[in-house]
PDB file of all heavy atoms in Angstrom:
ATOM      1  N   PRO W   1     104.914 112.017  57.495  1.00 98.00           N
ATOM      2  CA  PRO W   1     104.022 111.097  58.200  1.00 98.00           C
ATOM      3  C   PRO W   1     104.473 109.658  57.985  1.00 98.00           C
ATOM      4  O   PRO W   1     105.167 109.352  57.006  1.00 98.00           O
ATOM      5  CB  PRO W   1     102.664 111.343  57.536  1.00 98.00           C
ATOM      6  CG  PRO W   1     103.009 111.798  56.147  1.00 98.00           C
ATOM      7  CD  PRO W   1     104.293 112.586  56.285  1.00 98.00           C
ATOM      8  N   GLU W   2     104.099 108.784  58.905  1.00 98.00           N
ATOM      9  CA  GLU W   2     104.354 107.360  58.694  1.00 98.00           C
ATOM     10  C   GLU W   2     103.589 106.881  57.472  1.00 98.00           C
ATOM     11  O   GLU W   2     102.475 107.329  57.199  1.00 98.00           O
ATOM     12  CB  GLU W   2     103.880 106.552  59.900  1.00 98.00           C
ATOM     13  CG  GLU W   2     104.643 106.789  61.170  1.00 98.00           C
ATOM     14  CD  GLU W   2     104.031 106.005  62.326  1.00 98.00           C
ATOM     15  OE1 GLU W   2     103.353 104.972  62.070  1.00 98.00           O
ATOM     16  OE2 GLU W   2     104.210 106.428  63.483  1.00 98.00           O
ATOM     17  N   ALA W   3     104.187 105.959  56.745  1.00 98.00           N
ATOM     18  CA  ALA W   3     103.436 105.279  55.697  1.00 98.00           C
ATOM     19  C   ALA W   3     102.326 104.458  56.349  1.00 98.00           C
ATOM     20  O   ALA W   3     102.517 103.874  57.416  1.00 98.00           O
ATOM     21  CB  ALA W   3     104.357 104.382  54.888  1.00 98.00           C
ATOM     22  N   THR W   4     101.186 104.427  55.722  1.00 98.00           N
ATOM     23  CA  THR W   4     100.071 103.634  56.243  1.00 98.00           C
ATOM     24  C   THR W   4     100.216 102.177  55.815  1.00 98.00           C
ATOM     25  O   THR W   4     101.018 101.840  54.931  1.00 98.00           O
ATOM     26  CB  THR W   4      98.734 104.175  55.728  1.00 98.00           C
ATOM     27  OG1 THR W   4      98.679 103.974  54.294  1.00 98.00           O
ATOM     28  CG2 THR W   4      98.585 105.666  56.033  1.00 98.00           C
ATOM     29  N   ARG W   5      99.408 101.342  56.406  1.00 98.00           N
ATOM     30  CA  ARG W   5      99.395  99.936  55.992  1.00 98.00           C
ATOM     31  C   ARG W   5      98.995  99.822  54.524  1.00 98.00           C
ATOM     32  O   ARG W   5      99.548  99.026  53.768  1.00 98.00           O
ATOM     33  CB  ARG W   5      98.422  99.158  56.875  1.00 98.00           C
ATOM     34  CG  ARG W   5      98.546  97.638  56.777  1.00 98.00           C
ATOM     35  CD  ARG W   5      97.633  96.966  57.796  1.00 98.00           C
ATOM     36  NE  ARG W   5      98.008  95.575  58.005  1.00 98.00           N
ATOM     37  CZ  ARG W   5      97.513  94.564  57.298  1.00 98.00           C
ATOM     38  NH1 ARG W   5      96.637  94.801  56.326  1.00 98.00           N
ATOM     39  NH2 ARG W   5      97.886  93.323  57.565  1.00 98.00           N
ATOM     40  N   ALA W   6      98.037 100.654  54.111  1.00 98.00           N
ATOM     41  CA  ALA W   6      97.606 100.640  52.709  1.00 98.00           C
ATOM     42  C   ALA W   6      98.741 101.043  51.783  1.00 98.00           C
ATOM     43  O   ALA W   6      98.886 100.492  50.680  1.00 98.00           O
ATOM     44  CB  ALA W   6      96.404 101.566  52.520  1.00 98.00           C
ATOM     45  N   ASP W   7      99.568 101.999  52.214  1.00 98.00           N
ATOM     46  CA  ASP W   7     100.727 102.392  51.408  1.00 98.00           C
ATOM     47  C   ASP W   7     101.666 101.202  51.200  1.00 98.00           C
ATOM     48  O   ASP W   7     102.131 100.950  50.085  1.00 98.00           O
ATOM     49  CB  ASP W   7     101.508 103.519  52.094  1.00 98.00           C
ATOM     50  CG  ASP W   7     100.763 104.840  52.157  1.00 98.00           C
ATOM     51  OD1 ASP W   7      99.955 105.126  51.257  1.00 98.00           O
ATOM     52  OD2 ASP W   7     101.013 105.587  53.130  1.00 98.00           O
ATOM     53  N   VAL W   8     101.936 100.496  52.283  1.00 98.00           N
ATOM     54  CA  VAL W   8     102.851  99.357  52.214  1.00 98.00           C
ATOM     55  C   VAL W   8     102.283  98.260  51.310  1.00 98.00           C
ATOM     56  O   VAL W   8     103.008  97.617  50.533  1.00 98.00           O
ATOM     57  CB  VAL W   8     103.145  98.822  53.626  1.00 98.00           C
ATOM     58  CG1 VAL W   8     103.960  97.529  53.574  1.00 98.00           C
ATOM     59  CG2 VAL W   8     103.885  99.876  54.447  1.00 98.00           C
ATOM     60  N   LEU W   9     100.972  98.064  51.360  1.00 98.00           N
ATOM     61  CA  LEU W   9     100.330  97.019  50.564  1.00 98.00           C
ATOM     62  C   LEU W   9     100.278  97.349  49.075  1.00 98.00           C
ATOM     63  O   LEU W   9      99.908  96.486  48.273  1.00 98.00           O
ATOM     64  CB  LEU W   9      98.918  96.749  51.085  1.00 98.00           C
ATOM     65  CG  LEU W   9      98.854  96.066  52.461  1.00 98.00           C
ATOM     66  CD1 LEU W   9      97.413  96.005  52.960  1.00 98.00           C
ATOM     67  CD2 LEU W   9      99.447  94.659  52.395  1.00 98.00           C
ATOM     68  N   ARG W  10     100.657  98.543  48.673  1.00 98.00           N
ATOM     69  CA  ARG W  10     100.758  98.840  47.247  1.00 98.00           C
ATOM     70  C   ARG W  10     101.881  98.039  46.603  1.00 98.00           C
ATOM     71  O   ARG W  10     101.914  97.864  45.389  1.00 98.00           O
ATOM     72  CB  ARG W  10     101.009 100.342  47.024  1.00 98.00           C
ATOM     73  CG  ARG W  10      99.873 101.235  47.360  1.00 98.00           C
ATOM     74  CD  ARG W  10      98.706 101.064  46.372  1.00 98.00           C
ATOM     75  NE  ARG W  10      99.041 101.574  45.051  1.00 98.00           N
ATOM     76  CZ  ARG W  10      99.012 100.857  43.926  1.00 98.00           C
ATOM     77  NH1 ARG W  10      98.677  99.576  43.964  1.00 98.00           N
ATOM     78  NH2 ARG W  10      99.320 101.395  42.771  1.00 98.00           N
ATOM     79  N   VAL W  11     102.804  97.535  47.436  1.00 98.00           N
ATOM     80  CA  VAL W  11     103.949  96.773  46.934  1.00 98.00           C
ATOM     81  C   VAL W  11     104.037  95.402  47.585  1.00 98.00           C
ATOM     82  O   VAL W  11     104.378  94.416  46.935  1.00 98.00           O
ATOM     83  CB  VAL W  11     105.255  97.569  47.172  1.00 98.00           C
ATOM     84  CG1 VAL W  11     106.481  96.677  47.099  1.00 98.00           C
ATOM     85  CG2 VAL W  11     105.374  98.708  46.167  1.00 98.00           C
ATOM     86  N   HIS W  12     103.724  95.319  48.880  1.00 98.00           N
ATOM     87  CA  HIS W  12     103.965  94.088  49.622  1.00 98.00           C
ATOM     88  C   HIS W  12     102.699  93.258  49.806  1.00 98.00           C
ATOM     89  O   HIS W  12     101.587  93.800  49.885  1.00 98.00           O
ATOM     90  CB  HIS W  12     104.581  94.417  50.982  1.00 98.00           C
ATOM     91  CG  HIS W  12     105.962  94.964  50.879  1.00 98.00           C
ATOM     92  ND1 HIS W  12     107.045  94.178  50.569  1.00 98.00           N
ATOM     93  CD2 HIS W  12     106.437  96.229  51.031  1.00 98.00           C
ATOM     94  CE1 HIS W  12     108.129  94.929  50.531  1.00 98.00           C
ATOM     95  NE2 HIS W  12     107.790  96.179  50.801  1.00 98.00           N
ATOM     96  N   ALA W  13     102.903  91.939  49.925  1.00 98.00           N
ATOM     97  CA  ALA W  13     101.792  90.998  50.080  1.00 98.00           C
ATOM     98  C   ALA W  13     101.204  91.077  51.485  1.00 98.00           C
ATOM     99  O   ALA W  13     101.927  91.260  52.470  1.00 98.00           O
ATOM    100  CB  ALA W  13     102.286  89.580  49.797  1.00 98.00           C
ATOM    101  N   GLU W  14      99.904  90.889  51.556  1.00 98.00           N
ATOM    102  CA  GLU W  14      99.181  90.953  52.829  1.00 98.00           C
ATOM    103  C   GLU W  14      99.725  89.958  53.842  1.00 98.00           C
ATOM    104  O   GLU W  14      99.919  90.298  55.017  1.00 98.00           O
ATOM    105  CB  GLU W  14      97.696  90.689  52.581  1.00 98.00           C
ATOM    106  CG  GLU W  14      96.863  90.361  53.815  1.00 98.00           C
ATOM    107  CD  GLU W  14      96.616  91.570  54.706  1.00 98.00           C
ATOM    108  OE1 GLU W  14      96.441  92.670  54.169  1.00 98.00           O
ATOM    109  OE2 GLU W  14      96.595  91.396  55.943  1.00 98.00           O
ATOM    110  N   ASP W  15      99.979  88.709  53.413  1.00 98.00           N
ATOM    111  CA  ASP W  15     100.449  87.713  54.386  1.00 98.00           C
ATOM    112  C   ASP W  15     101.839  88.050  54.914  1.00 98.00           C
ATOM    113  O   ASP W  15     102.169  87.749  56.070  1.00 98.00           O
ATOM    114  CB  ASP W  15     100.405  86.300  53.809  1.00 98.00           C
ATOM    115  CG  ASP W  15     101.192  86.138  52.516  1.00 98.00           C
ATOM    116  OD1 ASP W  15     101.642  87.156  51.949  1.00 98.00           O
ATOM    117  OD2 ASP W  15     101.354  84.981  52.063  1.00 98.00           O
ATOM    118  N   TYR W  16     102.653  88.688  54.101  1.00 98.00           N
ATOM    119  CA  TYR W  16     103.969  89.118  54.573  1.00 98.00           C
ATOM    120  C   TYR W  16     103.844  90.252  55.580  1.00 98.00           C
ATOM    121  O   TYR W  16     104.453  90.210  56.658  1.00 98.00           O
ATOM    122  CB  TYR W  16     104.834  89.555  53.389  1.00 98.00           C
ATOM    123  CG  TYR W  16     106.122  90.237  53.802  1.00 98.00           C
ATOM    124  CD1 TYR W  16     107.087  89.553  54.533  1.00 98.00           C
ATOM    125  CD2 TYR W  16     106.363  91.571  53.485  1.00 98.00           C
ATOM    126  CE1 TYR W  16     108.266  90.176  54.915  1.00 98.00           C
ATOM    127  CE2 TYR W  16     107.539  92.203  53.859  1.00 98.00           C
ATOM    128  CZ  TYR W  16     108.483  91.509  54.582  1.00 98.00           C
ATOM    129  OH  TYR W  16     109.636  92.124  54.975  1.00 98.00           O
ATOM    130  N   VAL W  17     103.066  91.269  55.259  1.00 98.00           N
ATOM    131  CA  VAL W  17     102.899  92.410  56.165  1.00 98.00           C
ATOM    132  C   VAL W  17     102.325  91.945  57.499  1.00 98.00           C
ATOM    133  O   VAL W  17     102.754  92.402  58.570  1.00 98.00           O
ATOM    134  CB  VAL W  17     102.004  93.487  55.517  1.00 98.00           C
ATOM    135  CG1 VAL W  17     101.698  94.613  56.509  1.00 98.00           C
ATOM    136  CG2 VAL W  17     102.675  94.055  54.273  1.00 98.00           C
ATOM    137  N   ALA W  18     101.375  91.020  57.449  1.00 98.00           N
ATOM    138  CA  ALA W  18     100.789  90.499  58.691  1.00 98.00           C
ATOM    139  C   ALA W  18     101.850  89.834  59.566  1.00 98.00           C
ATOM    140  O   ALA W  18     101.816  89.961  60.802  1.00 98.00           O
ATOM    141  CB  ALA W  18      99.677  89.508  58.361  1.00 98.00           C
ATOM    142  N   ARG W  19     102.795  89.160  58.977  1.00 98.00           N
ATOM    143  CA  ARG W  19     103.851  88.508  59.751  1.00 98.00           C
ATOM    144  C   ARG W  19     104.827  89.529  60.317  1.00 98.00           C
ATOM    145  O   ARG W  19     105.321  89.371  61.442  1.00 98.00           O
ATOM    146  CB  ARG W  19     104.560  87.469  58.889  1.00 98.00           C
ATOM    147  CG  ARG W  19     103.739  86.190  58.771  1.00 98.00           C
ATOM    148  CD  ARG W  19     104.194  85.299  57.638  1.00 98.00           C
ATOM    149  NE  ARG W  19     103.468  84.032  57.642  1.00 98.00           N
ATOM    150  CZ  ARG W  19     102.237  83.871  57.175  1.00 98.00           C
ATOM    151  NH1 ARG W  19     101.557  84.905  56.690  1.00 98.00           N
ATOM    152  NH2 ARG W  19     101.647  82.690  57.207  1.00 98.00           N
ATOM    153  N   VAL W  20     105.136  90.579  59.554  1.00 98.00           N
ATOM    154  CA  VAL W  20     105.981  91.647  60.099  1.00 98.00           C
ATOM    155  C   VAL W  20     105.300  92.268  61.314  1.00 98.00           C
ATOM    156  O   VAL W  20     105.933  92.504  62.360  1.00 98.00           O
ATOM    157  CB  VAL W  20     106.270  92.720  59.034  1.00 98.00           C
ATOM    158  CG1 VAL W  20     107.014  93.905  59.661  1.00 98.00           C
ATOM    159  CG2 VAL W  20     107.081  92.140  57.880  1.00 98.00           C
ATOM    160  N   GLU W  21     104.014  92.516  61.201  1.00 98.00           N
ATOM    161  CA  GLU W  21     103.264  93.123  62.308  1.00 98.00           C
ATOM    162  C   GLU W  21     103.253  92.215  63.534  1.00 98.00           C
ATOM    163  O   GLU W  21     103.459  92.679  64.667  1.00 98.00           O
ATOM    164  CB  GLU W  21     101.832  93.429  61.854  1.00 98.00           C
ATOM    165  CG  GLU W  21     101.750  94.525  60.796  1.00 98.00           C
ATOM    166  CD  GLU W  21     100.382  94.632  60.167  1.00 98.00           C
ATOM    167  OE1 GLU W  21      99.653  93.612  60.129  1.00 98.00           O
ATOM    168  OE2 GLU W  21     100.034  95.728  59.692  1.00 98.00           O
ATOM    169  N   ALA W  22     103.016  90.936  63.309  1.00 98.00           N
ATOM    170  CA  ALA W  22     102.962  89.998  64.434  1.00 98.00           C
ATOM    171  C   ALA W  22     104.327  89.886  65.117  1.00 98.00           C
ATOM    172  O   ALA W  22     104.427  89.924  66.346  1.00 98.00           O
ATOM    173  CB  ALA W  22     102.492  88.627  63.943  1.00 98.00           C
ATOM    174  N   ALA W  23     105.374  89.765  64.321  1.00 98.00           N
ATOM    175  CA  ALA W  23     106.721  89.674  64.895  1.00 98.00           C
ATOM    176  C   ALA W  23     107.070  90.944  65.659  1.00 98.00           C
ATOM    177  O   ALA W  23     107.729  90.895  66.706  1.00 98.00           O
ATOM    178  CB  ALA W  23     107.737  89.421  63.783  1.00 98.00           C
ATOM    179  N   SER W  24     106.607  92.088  65.163  1.00 98.00           N
ATOM    180  CA  SER W  24     106.888  93.367  65.820  1.00 98.00           C
ATOM    181  C   SER W  24     106.216  93.475  67.180  1.00 98.00           C
ATOM    182  O   SER W  24     106.692  94.203  68.056  1.00 98.00           O
ATOM    183  CB  SER W  24     106.411  94.520  64.924  1.00 98.00           C
ATOM    184  OG  SER W  24     107.077  94.500  63.678  1.00 98.00           O
ATOM    185  N   ARG W  25     105.112  92.746  67.345  1.00 97.00           N
ATOM    186  CA  ARG W  25     104.399  92.725  68.641  1.00 97.00           C
ATOM    187  C   ARG W  25     104.972  91.677  69.585  1.00 97.00           C
ATOM    188  O   ARG W  25     104.487  91.517  70.707  1.00 97.00           O
ATOM    189  CB  ARG W  25     102.912  92.444  68.417  1.00 97.00           C
ATOM    190  CG  ARG W  25     102.170  93.532  67.656  1.00 97.00           C
ATOM    191  CD  ARG W  25     100.661  93.278  67.690  1.00 97.00           C
ATOM    192  NE  ARG W  25     100.291  92.064  66.996  1.00 97.00           N
ATOM    193  CZ  ARG W  25      99.894  91.987  65.715  1.00 97.00           C
ATOM    194  NH1 ARG W  25      99.847  93.104  64.984  1.00 97.00           N
ATOM    195  NH2 ARG W  25      99.560  90.846  65.158  1.00 97.00           N
ATOM    196  N   GLY W  26     106.004  90.970  69.147  1.00 97.00           N
ATOM    197  CA  GLY W  26     106.608  89.951  69.987  1.00 97.00           C
ATOM    198  C   GLY W  26     105.936  88.602  69.897  1.00 97.00           C
ATOM    199  O   GLY W  26     106.252  87.702  70.678  1.00 97.00           O
ATOM    200  N   GLU W  27     105.032  88.433  68.944  1.00 97.00           N
ATOM    201  CA  GLU W  27     104.351  87.145  68.783  1.00 97.00           C
ATOM    202  C   GLU W  27     105.259  86.152  68.058  1.00 97.00           C
ATOM    203  O   GLU W  27     106.102  86.532  67.242  1.00 97.00           O
ATOM    204  CB  GLU W  27     103.052  87.339  67.988  1.00 97.00           C
ATOM    205  CG  GLU W  27     102.043  88.254  68.673  1.00 97.00           C
ATOM    206  CD  GLU W  27     100.819  88.527  67.805  1.00 97.00           C
ATOM    207  OE1 GLU W  27     100.620  87.796  66.815  1.00 97.00           O
ATOM    208  OE2 GLU W  27     100.083  89.483  68.110  1.00 97.00           O
ATOM    209  N   TYR W  28     105.061  84.893  68.356  1.00 96.00           N
ATOM    210  CA  TYR W  28     105.821  83.847  67.681  1.00 96.00           C
ATOM    211  C   TYR W  28     105.273  83.649  66.275  1.00 96.00           C
ATOM    212  O   TYR W  28     104.064  83.442  66.086  1.00 96.00           O
ATOM    213  CB  TYR W  28     105.738  82.532  68.467  1.00 96.00           C
ATOM    214  CG  TYR W  28     106.377  81.362  67.766  1.00 96.00           C
ATOM    215  CD1 TYR W  28     107.746  81.368  67.471  1.00 96.00           C
ATOM    216  CD2 TYR W  28     105.612  80.257  67.395  1.00 96.00           C
ATOM    217  CE1 TYR W  28     108.333  80.297  66.821  1.00 96.00           C
ATOM    218  CE2 TYR W  28     106.197  79.175  66.750  1.00 96.00           C
ATOM    219  CZ  TYR W  28     107.564  79.203  66.459  1.00 96.00           C
ATOM    220  OH  TYR W  28     108.141  78.152  65.817  1.00 96.00           O
ATOM    221  N   VAL W  29     106.131  83.732  65.286  1.00 97.00           N
ATOM    222  CA  VAL W  29     105.739  83.533  63.888  1.00 97.00           C
ATOM    223  C   VAL W  29     106.477  82.288  63.403  1.00 97.00           C
ATOM    224  O   VAL W  29     107.678  82.346  63.096  1.00 97.00           O
ATOM    225  CB  VAL W  29     106.107  84.762  63.026  1.00 97.00           C
ATOM    226  CG1 VAL W  29     105.709  84.536  61.566  1.00 97.00           C
ATOM    227  CG2 VAL W  29     105.459  86.027  63.573  1.00 97.00           C
ATOM    228  N   PRO W  30     105.796  81.130  63.339  1.00 97.00           N
ATOM    229  CA  PRO W  30     106.496  79.868  63.073  1.00 97.00           C
ATOM    230  C   PRO W  30     107.189  79.808  61.715  1.00 97.00           C
ATOM    231  O   PRO W  30     108.205  79.121  61.569  1.00 97.00           O
ATOM    232  CB  PRO W  30     105.386  78.813  63.173  1.00 97.00           C
ATOM    233  CG  PRO W  30     104.107  79.562  63.011  1.00 97.00           C
ATOM    234  CD  PRO W  30     104.353  80.921  63.572  1.00 97.00           C
ATOM    235  N   ASP W  31     106.662  80.510  60.718  1.00 97.00           N
ATOM    236  CA  ASP W  31     107.263  80.464  59.393  1.00 97.00           C
ATOM    237  C   ASP W  31     108.003  81.761  59.061  1.00 97.00           C
ATOM    238  O   ASP W  31     108.128  82.155  57.900  1.00 97.00           O
ATOM    239  CB  ASP W  31     106.210  80.174  58.323  1.00 97.00           C
ATOM    240  CG  ASP W  31     105.040  81.161  58.363  1.00 97.00           C
ATOM    241  OD1 ASP W  31     105.002  82.015  59.267  1.00 97.00           O
ATOM    242  OD2 ASP W  31     104.168  81.069  57.471  1.00 97.00           O
ATOM    243  N   ALA W  32     108.498  82.441  60.095  1.00 98.00           N
ATOM    244  CA  ALA W  32     109.137  83.748  59.895  1.00 98.00           C
ATOM    245  C   ALA W  32     110.285  83.676  58.887  1.00 98.00           C
ATOM    246  O   ALA W  32     110.414  84.540  58.008  1.00 98.00           O
ATOM    247  CB  ALA W  32     109.652  84.292  61.228  1.00 98.00           C
ATOM    248  N   GLU W  33     111.114  82.630  58.987  1.00 98.00           N
ATOM    249  CA  GLU W  33     112.281  82.564  58.105  1.00 98.00           C
ATOM    250  C   GLU W  33     111.886  82.419  56.645  1.00 98.00           C
ATOM    251  O   GLU W  33     112.605  82.879  55.754  1.00 98.00           O
ATOM    252  CB  GLU W  33     113.201  81.425  58.529  1.00 98.00           C
ATOM    253  CG  GLU W  33     113.944  81.706  59.831  1.00 98.00           C
ATOM    254  CD  GLU W  33     115.082  80.729  60.067  1.00 98.00           C
ATOM    255  OE1 GLU W  33     115.595  80.153  59.077  1.00 98.00           O
ATOM    256  OE2 GLU W  33     115.459  80.544  61.231  1.00 98.00           O
ATOM    257  N   ALA W  34     110.738  81.811  56.374  1.00 98.00           N
ATOM    258  CA  ALA W  34     110.267  81.695  54.992  1.00 98.00           C
ATOM    259  C   ALA W  34     109.962  83.063  54.399  1.00 98.00           C
ATOM    260  O   ALA W  34     109.943  83.215  53.175  1.00 98.00           O
ATOM    261  CB  ALA W  34     109.031  80.800  54.926  1.00 98.00           C
ATOM    262  N   PHE W  35     109.739  84.047  55.256  1.00 98.00           N
ATOM    263  CA  PHE W  35     109.462  85.411  54.819  1.00 98.00           C
ATOM    264  C   PHE W  35     110.664  86.327  55.046  1.00 98.00           C
ATOM    265  O   PHE W  35     110.525  87.547  55.015  1.00 98.00           O
ATOM    266  CB  PHE W  35     108.229  85.949  55.543  1.00 98.00           C
ATOM    267  CG  PHE W  35     106.948  85.285  55.109  1.00 98.00           C
ATOM    268  CD1 PHE W  35     106.541  84.092  55.677  1.00 98.00           C
ATOM    269  CD2 PHE W  35     106.162  85.847  54.110  1.00 98.00           C
ATOM    270  CE1 PHE W  35     105.366  83.466  55.274  1.00 98.00           C
ATOM    271  CE2 PHE W  35     104.995  85.234  53.695  1.00 98.00           C
ATOM    272  CZ  PHE W  35     104.591  84.042  54.272  1.00 98.00           C
ATOM    273  N   GLY W  36     111.833  85.726  55.294  1.00 98.00           N
ATOM    274  CA  GLY W  36     113.056  86.494  55.463  1.00 98.00           C
ATOM    275  C   GLY W  36     113.206  87.168  56.807  1.00 98.00           C
ATOM    276  O   GLY W  36     114.114  87.987  56.990  1.00 98.00           O
TER     277      GLY W  36
END
């Protein structure tokens, strides 16, 4: 099964995951490079 968002948050920060999600939807993330 796909890992859930909760699974990912066991290791990763909420603000980082939110930016991955936004970028994946094609949204502009102004500070994307600060998050790699």
Side-chain angles (χ1 to χ4, degrees):
E2 293 176 24
T4 66
R5 194 174 197 270
D7 292 329
V8 173
L9 290 173
R10 291 291 291 122
V11 161
H12 292 286
E14 165 73 36
D15 56 351
Y16 170 63
V17 174
R19 282 164 175 79
V20 173
E21 293 169 333
S24 300
R25 295 190 295 266
E27 298 175 15
Y28 174 62
V29 179
D31 55 356
E33 288 193 24
F35 290 85

